[in-house]
Amino acid sequence: MRVLLSEDELNQGVSRLADEIDQHYEGRPLTVIAIMTGSLVLFADLIRRLSMPQRVGVIRASSYRGGTTSCDLQVDAGMMIDVTGRDVLLVDDIFDTGKTLERTSEMMKEFGAASVQTAVLLHKQREHLVQVRPNFVAFQIPDEFVVGYGLDYLDMYRNLPYLAVLDPAEIEATAAEVEL
Ligand code: IMP
Ligand code: MG
């Protein structure tokens, strides 16, 4: 496993991200929505660094990859809080194809949000499949499959305090291990 961003670098990146978001909203109340499960760790760190009054909610999105490539997107809004007339900030771990943020942003507008902005820890440098781009980005990363700090492979590695690139042998070994 090759470390791409250390715990210290991630901390600094999240603080920069929070500063940018604070500057944008200038203390106005915000409804912050975590896109689960990948944003779990980032979200906990980010909301504690933001200074405005916040309402906090979650929505679940999964690309049903079962591997390292994205396929059909499923969104579960069963735990969503009311966002009618609210300024909403959607938080996700990574902007890859962009489908998750495109779809969840549309949903927030359908739910009646007054405004929708998006924040991600990572922006993968690759061809995106959508027009939208995240409003706040902590790090640009190369087009590699990464795990840690909330990001998973087969729901493993989310607990790593750093961000790492999995090599093909580790991907294979993890798949074998996860299979019960
Ligand atoms: P998108 O919809 O293609 O932008 O993908 C967003 C979702 O795919 C993210 O929320 C992640 O859960 C997952 N994802 C994309 N790239 C990676 C990666 O390198 N490692 C782990 N998960 C990833
Ligand atoms: Mg995710």
Side-chain angles (χ1 to χ4, degrees):
M1 212 181 268
R2 174 163 53 87
V3 176
L4 194 63
L5 293 168
S6 69
E7 199 171 347
D8 268 0
E9 289 171 316
L10 288 169
N11 261 319
Q12 287 164 22
V14 177
S15 291
R16 281 198 310 270
L17 193 64
D19 285 348
E20 264 183 59
I21 296 167
D22 268 346
Q23 274 165 32
H24 178 85
Y25 288 99
E26 297 176 316
R28 295 198 304 279
L30 189 61
T31 298
V32 199
I33 305 293
I35 303 178
M36 298 298 272
T37 305
S39 77
L40 180 70
V41 180
L42 165 69
F43 194 73
D45 284 345
L46 181 66
I47 59 176
R48 288 179 292 172
R49 284 169 166 91
L50 293 174
S51 331
M52 73 286 280
Q54 297 168 55
R55 291 167 69 244
V56 161
V58 300
I59 190 166
R60 181 156 191 249
S62 38
S63 322
Y64 279 53
R65 337 189 131 221
T68 58
T69 51
S70 156
C71 19
D72 261 2
L73 177 69
Q74 307 256 346
V75 182
D76 176 0
M79 286 175 73
M80 264 298 288
I81 58 172
D82 183 26
V83 294
T84 315
R86 309 282 180 168
D87 290 318
V88 170
L89 178 71
L90 279 170
V91 179
D92 205 1
D93 50 359
I94 187 167
F95 189 83
D96 184 19
T97 67
K99 285 185 193 169
T100 305
L101 275 185
E102 177 187 61
R103 174 82 168 279
T104 49
S105 296
E106 280 166 6
M107 287 175 79
M108 295 304 129
K109 287 172 199 154
E110 285 162 21
F111 292 156
S115 73
V116 183
Q117 298 265 299
T118 57
V120 293
L121 180 76
L122 308 168
H123 184 275
K124 231 184 230 188
Q125 285 158 343
R126 57 162 284 174
E127 190 195 336
H128 306 295
L129 304 179
V130 300
Q131 296 299 314
V132 295
R133 293 291 177 269
N135 300 102
F136 306 99
V137 175
F139 298 99
Q140 301 283 340
I141 62 160
D143 187 7
E144 290 183 291
F145 193 76
V146 291
V147 295
Y149 199 71
L151 292 106
D152 73 304
Y153 174 55
L154 302 178
D155 285 309
M156 288 191 66
Y157 306 114
R158 294 194 199 275
N159 55 303
L160 298 179
Y162 49 84
L163 190 83
V165 178
L166 275 191
D167 67 45
E170 287 167 314
I171 289 177
E172 227 171 274
T174 306
E177 190 182 320
V178 166
E179 218 162 277
L180 286 175

